[in-house]
Amino acid sequence: MQNADPVLTGFQRTAEQAITSLLLRLGRKIDSRDVLRGVVPFFSKDPQTVLKLSSADFEVWLYDDEASFSARAGGGAVERLDFKSEPEVLDRLLEQIEAALTK
């Protein structure tokens, strides 16, 4: 993937704000923020815009309407197809992130 100036989706913008707030509540902060654009192998043959946020041992990749993350205590993913709405996707993502960062 290469850096570019793509437009983020509503999900990506909302998720970034929610994750930033969650990290602050847990005494953490975003150490790096990268907006990447390109083909994501095994995800799509079409170029994708991905927002990558990092904080120490934690990293989250926000796709158009789903996400994956890794942390020292494990990782997880939420896929849009598994939920009725984007807010449900985000709620589950935040639950998983908090659980992984507070283990």
Tab-separated table of all heavy atoms in Angstrom, residues 9-15 63-66 78 80 83-93:
chain	number	residue	atom	x	y	z
A	9	THR	N	-14.102	6.898	4.979
A	9	THR	CA	-15.545	6.652	5.073
A	9	THR	C	-16.063	7.176	6.411
A	9	THR	O	-15.295	7.441	7.339
A	9	THR	CB	-15.852	5.152	4.980
A	9	THR	OG1	-15.296	4.485	6.121
A	9	THR	CG2	-15.326	4.545	3.682
A	10	GLY	N	-17.368	7.283	6.509
A	10	GLY	CA	-17.980	7.677	7.780
A	10	GLY	C	-17.614	6.702	8.885
A	10	GLY	O	-17.344	7.107	10.023
A	11	PHE	N	-17.593	5.408	8.568
A	11	PHE	CA	-17.214	4.411	9.565
A	11	PHE	C	-15.793	4.657	10.061
A	11	PHE	O	-15.531	4.623	11.270
A	11	PHE	CB	-17.324	2.988	8.991
A	11	PHE	CG	-16.792	1.933	9.920
A	11	PHE	CD1	-17.548	1.500	10.999
A	11	PHE	CD2	-15.537	1.372	9.725
A	11	PHE	CE1	-17.051	0.534	11.876
A	11	PHE	CE2	-15.040	0.414	10.587
A	11	PHE	CZ	-15.802	-0.012	11.664
A	12	GLN	N	-14.863	4.898	9.154
A	12	GLN	CA	-13.472	5.118	9.544
A	12	GLN	C	-13.330	6.354	10.433
A	12	GLN	O	-12.616	6.319	11.441
A	12	GLN	CB	-12.579	5.250	8.304
A	12	GLN	CG	-12.408	3.940	7.563
A	12	GLN	CD	-11.778	4.112	6.207
A	12	GLN	OE1	-12.114	5.052	5.460
A	12	GLN	NE2	-10.874	3.213	5.852
A	13	ARG	N	-14.021	7.434	10.086
A	13	ARG	CA	-13.941	8.665	10.888
A	13	ARG	C	-14.548	8.462	12.279
A	13	ARG	O	-13.962	8.849	13.290
A	13	ARG	CB	-14.624	9.822	10.157
A	13	ARG	CG	-13.877	10.293	8.913
A	13	ARG	CD	-14.469	11.576	8.331
A	13	ARG	NE	-15.897	11.485	8.068
A	13	ARG	CZ	-16.442	11.059	6.935
A	13	ARG	NH1	-15.669	10.663	5.940
A	13	ARG	NH2	-17.758	11.028	6.791
A	14	THR	N	-15.714	7.829	12.320
A	14	THR	CA	-16.381	7.582	13.606
A	14	THR	C	-15.565	6.622	14.459
A	14	THR	O	-15.398	6.834	15.668
A	14	THR	CB	-17.794	7.009	13.364
A	14	THR	OG1	-18.534	7.949	12.579
A	14	THR	CG2	-18.523	6.751	14.665
A	15	ALA	N	-15.049	5.567	13.842
A	15	ALA	CA	-14.245	4.586	14.582
A	15	ALA	C	-12.970	5.217	15.121
A	15	ALA	O	-12.573	4.941	16.260
A	15	ALA	CB	-13.922	3.394	13.687
A	63	TYR	N	-10.923	-0.506	7.793
A	63	TYR	CA	-11.286	-0.590	6.384
A	63	TYR	C	-12.579	0.194	6.166
A	63	TYR	O	-13.080	0.826	7.082
A	63	TYR	CB	-11.427	-2.059	5.974
A	63	TYR	CG	-10.166	-2.850	6.247
A	63	TYR	CD1	-10.044	-3.592	7.418
A	63	TYR	CD2	-9.094	-2.831	5.365
A	63	TYR	CE1	-8.873	-4.308	7.682
A	63	TYR	CE2	-7.934	-3.538	5.621
A	63	TYR	CZ	-7.831	-4.282	6.796
A	63	TYR	OH	-6.675	-4.963	7.054
A	64	ASP	N	-13.151	0.120	4.991
A	64	ASP	CA	-14.353	0.895	4.666
A	64	ASP	C	-15.444	0.772	5.720
A	64	ASP	O	-16.015	1.763	6.158
A	64	ASP	CB	-14.936	0.470	3.322
A	64	ASP	CG	-14.083	0.916	2.144
A	64	ASP	OD1	-13.197	1.772	2.340
A	64	ASP	OD2	-14.310	0.414	1.037
A	65	ASP	N	-15.765	-0.458	6.129
A	65	ASP	CA	-16.846	-0.656	7.102
A	65	ASP	C	-16.585	-1.854	8.014
A	65	ASP	O	-17.502	-2.462	8.544
A	65	ASP	CB	-18.194	-0.817	6.387
A	65	ASP	CG	-18.226	-1.998	5.432
A	65	ASP	OD1	-17.203	-2.707	5.298
A	65	ASP	OD2	-19.281	-2.217	4.809
A	66	GLU	N	-15.312	-2.196	8.196
A	66	GLU	CA	-14.912	-3.280	9.083
A	66	GLU	C	-13.498	-3.014	9.569
A	66	GLU	O	-12.878	-2.035	9.160
A	66	GLU	CB	-15.049	-4.636	8.406
A	66	GLU	CG	-14.353	-4.750	7.078
A	66	GLU	CD	-14.777	-6.001	6.310
A	66	GLU	OE1	-15.891	-6.511	6.532
A	66	GLU	OE2	-13.987	-6.464	5.501
A	78	VAL	N	-13.699	-7.521	13.104
A	78	VAL	CA	-15.149	-7.427	12.927
A	78	VAL	C	-15.412	-7.230	11.441
A	78	VAL	O	-14.767	-6.414	10.794
A	78	VAL	CB	-15.781	-6.290	13.757
A	78	VAL	CG1	-15.722	-6.612	15.244
A	78	VAL	CG2	-15.105	-4.956	13.493
A	80	ARG	N	-18.344	-6.542	8.481
A	80	ARG	CA	-19.657	-5.922	8.297
A	80	ARG	C	-20.760	-6.950	8.053
A	80	ARG	O	-21.872	-6.815	8.548
A	80	ARG	CB	-19.585	-4.917	7.141
A	80	ARG	CG	-20.891	-4.249	6.796
A	80	ARG	CD	-21.416	-3.396	7.960
A	80	ARG	NE	-22.657	-2.758	7.630
A	80	ARG	CZ	-23.864	-3.237	7.935
A	80	ARG	NH1	-23.984	-4.368	8.565
A	80	ARG	NH2	-24.944	-2.570	7.609
A	83	PHE	N	-22.960	-8.263	11.032
A	83	PHE	CA	-23.752	-7.348	11.852
A	83	PHE	C	-24.853	-6.689	11.030
A	83	PHE	O	-24.740	-6.567	9.817
A	83	PHE	CB	-22.854	-6.275	12.477
A	83	PHE	CG	-21.801	-6.852	13.373
A	83	PHE	CD1	-20.566	-7.233	12.870
A	83	PHE	CD2	-22.040	-7.037	14.730
A	83	PHE	CE1	-19.600	-7.788	13.691
A	83	PHE	CE2	-21.086	-7.590	15.561
A	83	PHE	CZ	-19.863	-7.963	15.032
A	84	LYS	N	-25.877	-6.205	11.700
A	84	LYS	CA	-26.999	-5.555	11.027
A	84	LYS	C	-26.688	-4.118	10.632
A	84	LYS	O	-27.285	-3.581	9.712
A	84	LYS	CB	-28.237	-5.572	11.924
A	84	LYS	CG	-28.794	-6.955	12.145
A	84	LYS	CD	-30.001	-6.909	13.033
A	84	LYS	CE	-30.506	-8.327	13.302
A	84	LYS	NZ	-31.636	-8.344	14.213
A	85	SER	N	-25.747	-3.464	11.354
A	85	SER	CA	-25.461	-2.058	11.081
A	85	SER	C	-24.011	-1.724	11.428
A	85	SER	O	-23.356	-2.443	12.181
A	85	SER	CB	-26.391	-1.158	11.901
A	85	SER	OG	-26.080	-1.274	13.275
A	86	GLU	N	-23.535	-0.610	10.871
A	86	GLU	CA	-22.179	-0.157	11.194
A	86	GLU	C	-22.025	0.176	12.672
A	86	GLU	O	-20.974	-0.123	13.255
A	86	GLU	CB	-21.775	1.023	10.318
A	86	GLU	CG	-21.421	0.609	8.911
A	86	GLU	CD	-20.904	1.748	8.051
A	86	GLU	OE1	-20.696	2.877	8.563
A	86	GLU	OE2	-20.713	1.515	6.848
A	87	PRO	N	-23.016	0.805	13.337
A	87	PRO	CA	-22.853	1.048	14.775
A	87	PRO	C	-22.645	-0.257	15.566
A	87	PRO	O	-21.868	-0.275	16.531
A	87	PRO	CB	-24.160	1.742	15.174
A	87	PRO	CG	-24.567	2.460	13.925
A	87	PRO	CD	-24.195	1.508	12.818
A	88	GLU	N	-23.283	-1.346	15.147
A	88	GLU	CA	-23.066	-2.629	15.816
A	88	GLU	C	-21.640	-3.124	15.583
A	88	GLU	O	-21.021	-3.683	16.491
A	88	GLU	CB	-24.064	-3.673	15.318
A	88	GLU	CG	-25.477	-3.444	15.803
A	88	GLU	CD	-26.449	-4.499	15.281
A	88	GLU	OE1	-26.012	-5.450	14.595
A	88	GLU	OE2	-27.646	-4.362	15.566
A	89	VAL	N	-21.125	-2.916	14.383
A	89	VAL	CA	-19.741	-3.291	14.075
A	89	VAL	C	-18.804	-2.529	15.008
A	89	VAL	O	-17.908	-3.118	15.641
A	89	VAL	CB	-19.383	-2.968	12.599
A	89	VAL	CG1	-17.903	-3.210	12.330
A	89	VAL	CG2	-20.248	-3.771	11.648
A	90	LEU	N	-19.011	-1.229	15.122
A	90	LEU	CA	-18.150	-0.401	15.960
A	90	LEU	C	-18.266	-0.780	17.430
A	90	LEU	O	-17.253	-0.870	18.130
A	90	LEU	CB	-18.472	1.082	15.764
A	90	LEU	CG	-17.609	2.060	16.546
A	90	LEU	CD1	-16.123	1.850	16.269
A	90	LEU	CD2	-18.022	3.484	16.238
A	91	ASP	N	-19.474	-1.016	17.920
A	91	ASP	CA	-19.646	-1.419	19.319
A	91	ASP	C	-18.865	-2.689	19.619
A	91	ASP	O	-18.170	-2.773	20.638
A	91	ASP	CB	-21.128	-1.634	19.649
A	91	ASP	CG	-21.921	-0.339	19.726
A	91	ASP	OD1	-21.302	0.748	19.806
A	91	ASP	OD2	-23.161	-0.421	19.696
A	92	ARG	N	-18.962	-3.670	18.749
A	92	ARG	CA	-18.253	-4.935	18.964
A	92	ARG	C	-16.749	-4.730	18.892
A	92	ARG	O	-15.996	-5.289	19.684
A	92	ARG	CB	-18.712	-5.980	17.954
A	92	ARG	CG	-18.070	-7.319	18.162
A	92	ARG	CD	-18.488	-7.920	19.507
A	92	ARG	NE	-17.812	-9.185	19.689
A	92	ARG	CZ	-17.209	-9.554	20.803
A	92	ARG	NH1	-17.232	-8.783	21.862
A	92	ARG	NH2	-16.596	-10.708	20.864
A	93	LEU	N	-16.293	-3.912	17.949
A	93	LEU	CA	-14.862	-3.625	17.835
A	93	LEU	C	-14.341	-2.996	19.120
A	93	LEU	O	-13.306	-3.415	19.656
A	93	LEU	CB	-14.595	-2.695	16.647
A	93	LEU	CG	-13.152	-2.226	16.468
A	93	LEU	CD1	-12.224	-3.395	16.181
A	93	LEU	CD2	-13.070	-1.176	15.362
